[in-house]
Amino acid sequence: MPTIEDVVCPFCGCLCDDIVVRVENGEIREVENACKFGAHRFLTVKKHRIKRPMIREGQEFKEVSYEEAIERAVEILTNAKKPLLYGFSSTSCEVHEVAIELAEVLGAVIDNTASVCHGPSVLAIQEVGYPSVTLGEVKNRADLVVYWACNPIHAHPRHMSRYTLFPRGMWTDKGKLDRFLVVVDVRRTETAEMADLFIKVKPGYDFEVLNALRTILRKGDIPTNEVGGVPKETLKELVERMKNCKFGIIFFGVGLTMSRGKHRNIAEAIKLVRDLNDYTKFSIMAMRGHYNVTGFNEVLTWESGFPFAVDFTRGYPWFNPGETDANSLLQNRDVDAALVIASDPAAHFPRESVRYLAKIPLVVIDPFESLTSKIADVVIPSKVVGIEEEGSAYRMDAVPLRLKKIIEAEGLLSDLEIMERILEGVRRRLSKTREAVAER
Ligand code: SF4
């Protein structure tokens, strides 16, 4: 059975690059080293697939050719005054590049799933900077690991075994014995069960706790006996551990970005890390979810100067989350068509946004059936990037990795081919419209 080594797992932001895959008769038969999510992604890649391009006719879908579906998508996008392009977190950077060009040509708004997960982190990073490192440095050096408002055992199952707690690093050669694990959360999670120190915070009080840690660090004390449900002595103990470690890191999750305080929580955590660097080496990193959510923020920033929620309707990039992010646009009924690729907003957005998304002309590009594909007007199936198509993606620490093609997907186009054809069709149609106007 042919064996493919050093495969990158296209599932979560860990982008584990040590996966071994065995293929027989064009099918993936065995997967080694992956967690259950990663193994499931490889072994069930042929299940729940969209088999043919489809166009809605009333309540039913009619199967059509790729050419017809792409032509209909082009028609929808060019007829719209202000289309929204959304998703992108589970596809390659090459697709992001074409999509951003498409948004610019159309005068559309482009946004990714960061706007409903780590968007506040990005805003805080723009405000106060990002003293971060790579996961390789964490593996080799970190002797104090803090997971704040995240549960990697569930969301990033190999994070601790590959990068933080268990691996033997260059200067942490006893693995777990060389490291101290702190978990800060509103409940005792599975990750908290493994902690050397678990700190339970009252829901919505992370900012106050972070601010108290900074105050203790600077002034040695605080005037109250507890903050956010955490006794002063526990906070002082954590500060001492942070000050006296050789290399510390805080990993934070959406429990911090999506609770009261949002980007203020992240800014305060970053400021704490900045303060700690007066005493020791300390760093911070967002636990990014989808495997290439970081990639989209990187590519959009090179191209437009802004990381997500970019509005090109003025002819230049305009960034104002709260106005230009997908949910605000849908809830304010401020877009009149949408293209969703490699994500499922109907499963995750608030009901009001989904209701409006279902009303406007909607194009969905995805390998798999989803709630969003069920409310679409045009559905275009694609290959799975990282299994049936190669491409580039950024790990959560912004290290780019190359995803491999493992098996063929006969009769399907890749996200990149589909987006390139849509871009070409849009350019052709817009130039015809311009010629017709000039002739009048
Ligand atoms: S931790 Fe994430 S990237 Fe690694 S194997 Fe599991 S799902 Fe894949």
Side-chain angles (χ1 to χ4, degrees):
M1 211 185 295
T3 300
I4 306 161
E5 296 188 340
D6 302 327
V7 174
V8 177
C9 171
F11 192 79
C12 84
C14 287
L15 274 187
C16 299
D17 56 359
D18 60 344
I19 311 297
V20 178
V21 177
R22 295 204 174 76
V23 176
E24 193 178 41
N25 300 327
E27 304 270 335
I28 297 174
R29 297 280 183 223
E30 287 172 21
V31 178
E32 273 177 29
N33 296 341
C35 70
K36 65 177 180 182
F37 295 140
H40 187 263
R41 163 57 77 234
F42 285 102
L43 293 169
T44 63
V45 71
K46 302 268 183 195
K47 287 194 179 155
H48 308 297
R49 296 294 291 264
I50 302 168
K51 296 194 174 65
R52 302 259 179 282
M54 294 181 288
I55 290 180
R56 180 178 292 282
E57 282 191 352
Q59 294 302 310
E60 304 293 323
F61 278 115
K62 184 180 99 176
E63 287 190 3
V64 295
S65 64
Y66 266 109
E67 287 68 29
E68 278 177 85
I70 287 170
E71 198 43 49
R72 181 74 190 111
V74 167
E75 200 183 314
I76 285 174
L77 294 171
T78 48
N79 284 346
K81 285 201 180 89
K82 187 174 181 179
L84 167 68
L85 313 185
Y86 179 81
F88 306 105
S89 298
S90 296
T91 189
S92 68
C93 294
E94 289 77 4
V95 176
H96 300 160
E97 204 181 346
V98 178
I100 295 161
E101 193 176 344
L102 177 64
E104 205 170 351
V105 169
L106 281 166
V109 186
I110 187 162
D111 192 16
N112 82 321
T113 56
S115 72
V116 287
C117 60
H118 275 284
S121 313
V122 178
L123 294 182
I125 289 164
Q126 285 191 323
E127 197 174 302
V128 290
Y130 194 39
S132 199
V133 287
T134 66
L135 289 169
E137 286 172 279
V138 174
K139 173 186 165 183
N140 284 321
R141 295 174 186 274
D143 59 342
L144 177 63
V145 177
V146 181
Y147 283 113
W148 197 304
C150 54
N151 187 8
I153 286 189
H154 266 206
H156 300 84
R158 296 184 76 212
H159 198 263
M160 288 196 283
S161 61
R162 265 177 70 78
Y163 305 117
T164 61
L165 202 58
F166 301 113
R168 290 166 191 267
M170 214 174 287
W171 288 279
T172 48
D173 58 359
K174 296 193 192 74
K176 170 73 181 80
L177 294 177
D178 273 337
R179 311 186 201 259
F180 192 87
L181 175 64
V182 179
V183 173
V184 185
D185 215 325
V186 294
R187 66 181 73 83
R188 186 175 273 277
T189 60
E190 293 82 351
T191 308
E193 292 294 342
M194 300 178 63
D196 299 297
L197 174 64
F198 169 56
I199 297 178
K200 190 170 175 188
V201 178
K202 267 201 297 193
Y205 281 82
D206 296 277
F207 180 91
E208 286 81 352
V209 172
L210 287 160
N211 188 266
L213 292 172
R214 288 186 71 205
T215 308
I216 293 169
L217 185 68
R218 286 287 180 223
K219 305 204 164 152
D221 206 357
I222 46 171
T224 54
N225 288 329
E226 63 90 33
V227 175
V230 186
K232 175 160 73 174
E233 291 319 311
T234 310
L235 294 171
K236 281 186 159 183
E237 182 193 339
L238 180 56
V239 169
E240 281 309 302
R241 289 211 173 268
M242 287 173 149
K243 269 166 73 175
N244 294 313
C245 72
K246 290 193 190 120
F247 186 114
I249 173 99
I250 297 175
F251 290 101
F252 63 94
V254 287
L256 205 54
T257 66
M258 287 294 155
S259 58
R260 189 171 68 132
K262 292 199 165 184
H263 67 288
R264 292 283 161 228
N265 295 339
I266 315 306
E268 200 62 15
I270 294 172
K271 286 179 193 168
L272 171 64
V273 167
R274 199 174 59 191
D275 295 349
L276 283 163
N277 275 278
D278 286 349
Y279 298 88
T280 185
K281 169 72 186 167
F282 224 98
S283 197
I284 187 162
M285 195 181 297
M287 297 286 279
R288 307 304 301 270
H290 294 89
Y291 76 83
N292 200 21
V293 64
T294 307
F296 182 84
N297 299 141
E298 294 282 329
V299 178
L300 189 58
T301 306
W302 312 329
E303 300 267 342
S304 73
F306 303 108
F308 67 102
V310 173
D311 180 346
F312 285 100
T313 53
R314 291 164 169 81
Y316 57 86
W318 171 258
F319 172 65
N320 189 23
E323 175 204 343
T324 59
D325 62 285
N327 262 300
S328 301
L329 290 164
L330 291 169
Q331 293 190 9
N332 293 328
R333 299 169 176 245
D334 198 15
V335 283
D336 54 354
L339 180 150
V340 171
I341 177 167
S343 77
D344 190 9
H348 302 107
F349 277 12
R351 191 185 298 175
E352 215 181 311
S353 303
V354 179
R355 233 184 243 147
Y356 185 64
L357 190 63
K359 272 191 193 155
I360 57 177
L362 172 62
V363 180
V364 167
I365 304 169
D366 207 297
F368 301 102
E369 291 168 0
S370 65
L371 286 179
T372 312
S373 75
K374 296 212 182 320
I375 59 168
D377 297 283
V378 182
V379 180
I380 308 179
S382 60
K383 295 178 183 175
V384 177
V385 178
I387 298 180
E388 299 165 345
E389 181 70 13
E390 61 176 0
S392 310
Y394 278 74
R395 206 166 59 185
M396 66 168 70
D397 55 350
V399 169
L401 293 166
R402 190 73 183 158
L403 307 180
K404 289 185 179 178
K405 176 179 171 177
I406 314 290
I407 53 172
E408 293 293 337
E410 297 296 340
L412 289 173
L413 295 181
S414 67
D415 286 340
L416 185 59
E417 288 167 307
I418 295 164
M419 288 303 281
E420 281 175 341
R421 288 194 195 186
I422 291 177
L423 175 60
E424 196 188 312
V426 164
R427 282 192 189 285
R428 203 181 317 116
R429 208 174 158 97
L430 289 179
S431 81
K432 268 192 201 155
T433 312
R434 273 187 221 111
E435 278 167 23
V437 170
E439 275 169 21
R440 263 190 237 146

